[in-house]
Amino acid sequence: MGVGKSTVGQLLAGRLGVGYRDTDDDIVAEQGRTIAEIFVDEGETAFRAIEKQAVHRALAEHDGVLALGGGAILDADTRALLAGQRVVYLSMDVEEAVKRTGLNTARPLLAVNPRKQWRELMEARRSLYEQIATAVVATDGRTPEEVTQVALDALELKEA
């Protein structure tokens, strides 16, 4: 959350000369409401089912840069599909997250005690992110352009 996946994803797609797609955007467009609204109206379990379908569809349809929501990797089937892909895990620490988002934006999983909840989410997810990542790129203190270049270098990809 707030790691810069959309910004870096768009920069990466531009540098590679490929399309960009974000499954969170797909969900919002398909559902006609925000992710926060889905969480409030239907709960996390229902959202994760919607997210799983969106990710699986996007992986089948899109061959450019694909940005996934932070919880997409919680699903074992999704992790299995990602195993054959180039995956960049953009990481940051809680202090950087506070600087970037203030942890007070519309993040349903961070509604109460955001710093503590952010740490707990990352502790629960970090090993899953690292499991599927082709490359881990720390974003702390870096500009989106720097993160993009590090990702390109880590994946050994050439610009278009």
Side-chain angles (χ1 to χ4, degrees):
M1 291 181 240
V3 76
K5 70 179 178 67
S6 298
T7 301
V8 171
Q10 290 171 14
L11 287 170
L12 192 55
R15 301 256 311 258
L16 293 170
V18 298
Y20 169 80
R21 185 168 173 176
D22 186 323
T23 56
D24 285 351
D25 294 341
D26 291 352
I27 292 166
V28 170
E30 179 183 289
Q31 295 291 312
R33 54 197 168 141
T34 68
I35 289 171
E37 290 170 331
I38 298 168
F39 264 83
V40 169
D41 295 344
E42 299 182 40
E44 183 176 2
T45 301
F47 171 75
R48 295 294 173 210
I50 294 166
E51 179 181 52
K52 177 180 179 173
Q53 289 182 348
V55 170
H56 288 228
R57 186 171 41 255
L59 284 167
E61 296 172 357
H62 183 73
D63 57 2
V65 174
L66 181 62
L68 307 182
I73 50 83
L74 296 173
D75 180 73
D77 293 336
T78 299
R79 288 194 308 276
L81 283 176
L82 292 170
Q85 307 292 324
R86 290 184 179 145
V87 177
V88 177
Y89 161 36
L90 300 178
S91 70
M92 72 177 167
D93 63 25
V94 70
E95 289 76 22
E96 186 76 7
V98 169
K99 279 190 243 175
R100 291 184 189 190
T101 68
L103 294 181
N104 61 1
T105 56
R107 309 278 185 186
L109 293 178
L110 301 177
V112 179
N113 195 348
R115 282 179 189 248
K116 180 178 181 264
Q117 288 181 307
W118 190 91
R119 280 191 186 100
E120 288 173 359
L121 280 173
M122 286 311 301
E123 286 172 17
R125 294 176 180 180
R126 184 172 285 115
S127 67
L128 296 175
Y129 291 146
E130 291 171 349
Q131 212 177 84
I132 63 161
T134 307
V136 178
V137 177
T139 63
D140 306 74
R142 289 181 166 152
T143 66
E145 292 77 13
E146 290 168 332
V147 172
T148 301
Q149 187 58 55
V150 172
L152 283 167
D153 293 345
L155 295 173
E156 299 178 351
L157 295 172
K158 304 292 181 224
E159 294 181 52

